[in-house]
Amino acid sequence: MQFEVIFEPATLKLFGQGILVSLKLLFISVTIGAVLSIPMAIMRVSRNKWLSTPVWLYTYVMRGTPMLIQVYLIYYGVAQLEFVQSNWDTVPLLIPFKDALFCCVLAFTLNTCAYTTEMLAGAIRDTNHGEIEAARAMGMSRRQLMWRIVLPSALRRTLPAYSNEVIMMLHGTSLASTVPALMDITGAARSVYSDFYLPFEAFITAGAIYLVLTFTLVWCFKLAERRWLAYLQPRKA
Amino acid sequence: MEEYIVNILKGSVLTMEVALGSLAVAVVLGLLGATAKLAQSKPLNWLAGIYSTVIRGIPDLVLMLLIFYGGQILLNKGLELVGYEEYIEINPFLAGVLTIGFIYGAYMTETFRGAIMAIPKGQMEAGYAFGMSKSRVFFHITVPQMIRLALPSFTNNWLVLIKATALVSILGLPDMTMLAKQAASAARDVTPLAPMLFFLFTGAIYLAITTVSLIVLKQLDKRYSMGVRRGEF
């Protein structure tokens, strides 16, 4: 084992920048995905078929295909198209596709949004009927009922499942390394591997970084659950 | 164009082979892991605990690269020590199956552990009282009841596993994803939309596979839940 290669300044810098890229990818896609998932989940549980069916189809397709294919489809299928490349300086809608990071964020966001939508929709459906009846008895409108009663409780109850989703997305960001222009943690490890031919050192370092990030996320979500789900915790003896 | 499509379709056979092969490995490892986690031996508990925690904390892709490239070197260094001089190249199919199986074994460990814990202890105790051996109780009493309890989470793991097989394309195995990528760059001259078409087509095949899996597993769930009363409201 030659771990001293990992601790050379150049390699450390590579991994440091990789961590920043991975976290940036994770943070942007998870945030946008979560925000978008709220209206989508409401549409998903709607009794109106015209609202719920498109969302169902979207989540079904996104959850039924590998994220690698989704990344390839956006990066190689759209951003690498010749007419996209020749027009992305002039057509405003195409400008972001110049950036490989944007392509990955787009794929990751669409993916995580689908999973989050299904989780949140499940939590909304599981809302205790008594709560809804009580809100109606208070004379709340449908909108008030949703914003004041159903969503605050459904968002909290999604938290445990959502923490899994965020961790899956952290691991999913490793797919960014399949896009040539991006250097996330896995990309850094792959470049160290090919420069020094040291697979153990390179990938064990990357694995250790991911483990630390995973445990940090788990810990953060534990704190969040203690804050927002305290009322559902098992009673302490 | 047609030959590329046919090629990708042929690649789906390899995808299924990798998926089913890894599933077999994962189920075996999952059963071993679950029994180790529930065994009354501290070292076994620890070992299984480390396995399921560490593997689930690291991305599949990193583990795959580590096991594939690292395993290659480890194997040859090991053989060198024994005095075997020739360089051996690991078969990428085997490496892919073992790696994915090893990873999803960790997820299956948790699935099976939860299911075993949900079976009333009296069931197993009754088996022992009849003088059944440990393995007999496990295979004749625990496993049949466990299937129903493990199926929902097993279904999830299987769906994630199929999609994870797309990663073997990065190791150089000619599965659907790799063939689609090759076709995409080869046919770009024919039509600029080729990459998009091929990836959409490949995505559609994955979708078909997951859809069929869902239907089959739902039937299995019905079969194994026979006579079980669900909570009725």
Side-chain angles (χ1 to χ4, degrees):
Chain A
M1 291 279 168
Q2 293 172 269
F3 270 102
E4 56 274 14
V5 173
I6 301 294
F7 292 104
E8 271 172 27
T11 325
L12 279 183
K13 199 176 158 217
L14 198 63
F15 272 112
Q17 282 166 341
I19 294 175
L20 289 183
V21 170
S22 289
L23 288 180
K24 197 167 155 192
L25 282 166
L26 176 69
F27 186 74
I28 303 177
S29 38
V30 161
T31 311
I32 304 178
V35 170
L36 289 179
S37 74
I38 296 175
M40 296 247 247
I42 296 174
M43 284 164 75
R44 178 80 176 81
V45 296
S46 162
R47 257 180 254 145
N48 183 341
K49 282 268 178 300
W50 295 101
L51 286 177
S52 63
T53 313
V55 179
W56 168 81
L57 188 67
Y58 159 70
T59 62
Y60 191 71
V61 169
M62 294 311 281
R63 299 192 310 153
T65 50
M67 195 156 76
L68 185 63
I69 295 279
Q70 294 160 9
V71 171
Y72 281 169
L73 183 63
I74 290 175
Y75 187 74
Y76 293 107
V78 179
Q80 299 286 302
L81 283 187
E82 240 164 77
F83 84 85
V84 173
Q85 292 193 326
S86 55
N87 285 319
W88 63 20
D89 285 316
T90 45
V91 184
L93 203 67
L94 294 178
I95 293 173
F97 284 97
K98 272 166 120 170
D99 189 2
L101 190 91
F102 169 82
C103 295
C104 280
V105 165
L106 183 62
F108 294 167
T109 307
L110 288 173
N111 188 284
T112 183
C113 182
Y115 283 93
T116 314
T117 301
E118 282 302 319
M119 276 174 212
L120 191 55
I124 292 178
R125 270 188 225 109
D126 284 341
T127 306
N128 194 332
H129 193 66
E131 288 179 34
I132 296 170
E133 268 179 345
R136 288 219 184 100
M138 299 289 282
M140 285 193 192
S141 68
R142 277 187 66 86
R143 184 175 304 240
Q144 282 175 325
L145 172 74
M146 197 40 111
W147 279 109
R148 292 187 188 173
I149 307 296
V150 176
L151 272 183
S153 122
L155 284 170
R156 284 158 200 251
R157 281 178 287 120
T158 317
L159 213 52
Y162 185 62
S163 74
N164 275 339
E165 168 59 19
V166 173
I167 288 163
M168 287 306 252
M169 271 320 284
L170 168 70
H171 296 172
T173 58
S174 67
L175 296 184
S177 70
T178 59
V179 167
L182 271 181
M183 271 291 187
D184 70 324
I185 301 171
T186 311
R190 287 172 88 173
S191 116
V192 171
Y193 161 67
S194 56
D195 287 353
F196 301 100
Y197 195 55
L198 293 173
F200 283 108
E201 291 80 348
F203 295 122
I204 286 177
T205 307
I209 297 174
Y210 280 113
L211 262 185
V212 171
L213 292 177
T214 305
F215 286 135
T216 313
L217 280 175
V218 169
W219 178 74
C220 289
F221 273 101
K222 226 176 218 159
L223 286 188
E225 273 183 42
R226 209 178 291 163
R227 171 86 180 72
W228 285 300
L229 272 181
Y231 68 106
L232 290 182
Q233 298 288 327
R235 204 173 291 168
K236 285 193 189 88
Chain B
M1 288 300 268
E2 285 83 26
E3 64 264 43
Y4 291 122
I5 295 279
V6 172
N7 221 354
I8 295 175
L9 271 175
K10 278 185 193 153
S12 69
V13 176
L14 185 76
T15 294
M16 282 312 291
E17 282 171 1
V18 173
L20 290 172
S22 342
L23 182 71
V25 176
V27 166
V28 171
L29 283 177
L31 283 175
L32 284 175
T35 23
K37 261 199 152 170
L38 295 170
Q40 267 157 0
S41 138
K42 276 265 145 45
L44 274 182
N45 297 162
W46 261 86
L47 203 68
I50 290 174
Y51 170 56
S52 76
T53 316
V54 170
I55 298 297
R56 293 186 306 152
I58 299 176
D60 298 358
L61 179 57
V62 175
L63 279 172
M64 239 180 246
L65 294 168
L66 173 67
I67 300 176
F68 186 63
Y69 292 124
Q72 184 91 37
I73 292 184
L74 206 64
L75 183 72
N76 281 295
K77 281 239 171 89
L79 286 174
E80 221 172 90
L81 281 180
V82 195
Y84 192 83
E85 291 295 322
E86 248 165 283
Y87 187 78
I88 289 190
E89 197 126 328
I90 302 183
N91 174 344
F93 176 79
L94 204 64
V97 166
L98 289 178
T99 314
I100 298 182
F102 184 64
I103 296 169
Y104 285 87
Y107 290 89
M108 290 295 184
T109 297
E110 291 305 313
T111 300
F112 293 152
R113 184 181 67 102
I116 293 177
M117 276 165 53
I119 301 172
K121 259 220 153 81
Q123 295 279 334
M124 278 84 116
E125 280 166 3
Y128 293 131
F130 272 104
M132 287 174 138
S133 68
K134 263 194 164 168
S135 65
R136 216 183 158 113
V137 167
F138 185 72
F139 285 108
H140 287 244
I141 307 234
T142 313
V143 170
Q145 299 187 67
M146 201 180 90
I147 294 177
R148 172 177 70 88
L149 298 164
L151 258 179
S153 164
F154 176 90
T155 308
N156 260 339
N157 287 343
W158 163 246
L159 295 179
V160 180
L161 189 152
I162 298 173
K163 288 179 274 165
T165 59
L167 295 179
V168 295
S169 64
I170 295 166
L171 305 182
L173 208 61
D175 77 323
M176 270 202 293
T177 308
M178 183 176 187
L179 293 172
K181 206 176 161 209
Q182 282 174 346
S185 56
R188 196 176 281 175
D189 309 326
V190 186
T191 150
L193 284 178
M196 196 189 283
L197 281 176
F198 288 135
F199 289 128
L200 282 176
F201 179 68
T202 314
I205 302 177
Y206 278 108
L207 201 59
I209 297 176
T210 45
T211 307
V212 171
S213 309
L214 272 176
I215 295 170
V216 170
L217 284 159
K218 197 164 209 171
Q219 288 305 313
L220 266 182
D221 187 46
K222 252 192 205 155
R223 172 88 182 70
Y224 279 100
S225 307
M226 253 198 301
V228 176
R229 235 178 131 174
R230 305 240 180 218
E232 284 154 24
F233 294 103

